[in-house]
Amino acid sequence: MTPPKGYTAPLSPDGRAGIVPPPPWHYSGDFLIVEYRTDPGAVAALLPPELEPAAGDQAGMVAAIFADWQSCSDDFHELVDPIQAQYKEFFLVVGCRYDGEPASRCIYIWVDKDFAMYRGWIQGFPKKLGSIHMTRTFPVGKAAPHGMHVGARFGATCAANDRPIARAVVTLERVSASGPTINEAPMHNTRHFPAYHGLIPDVAELVRAGGYDREVTEVWEGPAELRLYDDTIEDLQAIAPRETVRGFRFSFGYTVHGGTVLAQHDKEALKP
């Protein structure tokens, strides 16, 4: 008898029941980003030994990122079944260095669909379920910005476990000359899977995210507000904004098919 199969659980005779289809994965999305400064020591405490804290004017820099995504596997069946494609997420990215080169790392992230959470774990993103809402654009009517222009205002919120996580507001002022910088460096995350028996994880590795066919629209920037709330199981107040630098709004697309394993973490040191 042929065993059930699939890229991820649940396995089934035809392999289609899995939460996540096999890569490549194609992404198109709208981004709202607020860059800010916080305590450099609190950022350093969130990094594994293989990553060094950013130095100079990048020390303590964080990007708070809201994204409204549509994603598809290689047969694009999700386009006509959009509940399998559409999701939103909020994540915090810090600047750092790997082997002397600029890097970034996702330290916390919330997402509103199970397939996006599972797919994130595969890639090393520490995703949790949450509720995320973002201002949308439409070409007509008074209830939404008509694209990006001077004075357009965008808001976003994230909540999880009946608690508020974050709230952001960005008012567009001009086309950005530089765009956001913190999340521009390659993402270095940790694939961490606990053992079924015992406390030493089965998988604990530092990976660099892959990606190709990148496309980005014109990036707009402007003054921003950001609040991270305190009644959460994550210590967000340790990395709360000390200075809000700038906000950005743009659209972005790319494709992912694997990444690079850079190092094996010391599994013994990662015991809870």
Side-chain angles (χ1 to χ4, degrees), residues 11 65 93 114 137 160 185 208 249 258:
L11 307 181
I65 305 173
V93 173
D114 60 356
T137 62
R208 181 170 56 222
R249 174 65 163 75

Side-chain angles (χ1 to χ4, degrees), residues 132-156:
I132 299 96
H133 296 274
M134 297 171 60
T135 301
R136 295 179 290 180
T137 62
F138 291 98
V140 294
K142 299 179 181 179
H146 296 183
M148 295 185 287
H149 57 82
V150 176
R153 301 180 73 232
F154 294 84

Side-chain angles (χ1 to χ4, degrees), residues 136-215:
R136 295 179 290 180
T137 62
F138 291 98
V140 294
K142 299 179 181 179
H146 296 183
M148 295 185 287
H149 57 82
V150 176
R153 301 180 73 232
F154 294 84
T157 61
C158 174
N161 298 314
D162 291 336
R163 295 176 174 89
I165 299 292
R167 173 182 172 82
V169 177
V170 175
T171 303
L172 301 188
E173 190 174 66
R174 59 177 174 263
V175 175
S176 178
S178 63
T181 58
I182 307 307
N183 62 305
E184 185 179 34
M187 191 74 70
H188 290 60
N189 291 332
T190 293
R191 282 170 39 88
H192 183 280
F193 294 93
Y196 189 48
H197 177 74
L199 299 179
I200 298 176
D202 279 339
V203 176
E205 56 191 21
L206 182 71
V207 295
R208 181 170 56 222
Y212 56 95
D213 289 345
R214 295 173 180 267
E215 298 180 73

Side-chain angles (χ1 to χ4, degrees), residues 44-67:
L46 289 162
L47 300 176
E50 297 86 358
L51 297 179
E52 303 172 359
D57 60 359
Q58 294 295 301
M61 287 292 294
V62 184
I65 305 173
F66 289 88

Side-chain angles (χ1 to χ4, degrees), residues 26 33 48 62 73 84 144 165 211 216-217:
H26 309 284
I33 297 179
V62 184
S73 52
Q84 297 187 56
I165 299 292
V216 63
T217 64

Side-chain angles (χ1 to χ4, degrees), residues 217-269:
T217 64
E218 190 173 61
V219 178
W220 280 68
E221 68 175 36
E225 306 166 23
L226 176 68
R227 179 179 179 183
L228 300 181
Y229 290 83
D230 56 6
D231 186 21
T232 66
I233 61 175
E234 304 81 13
D235 186 8
L236 297 182
Q237 292 312 293
I239 54 169
R242 292 185 173 183
E243 176 192 0
T244 300
V245 178
R246 208 68 175 157
F248 303 90
R249 174 65 163 75
F250 59 96
S251 298
F252 172 70
Y254 76 133
T255 294
V256 170
H257 195 171
T260 304
V261 177
L262 299 175
Q264 298 293 329
H265 291 310
D266 181 351
K267 295 182 179 181
E268 183 74 25

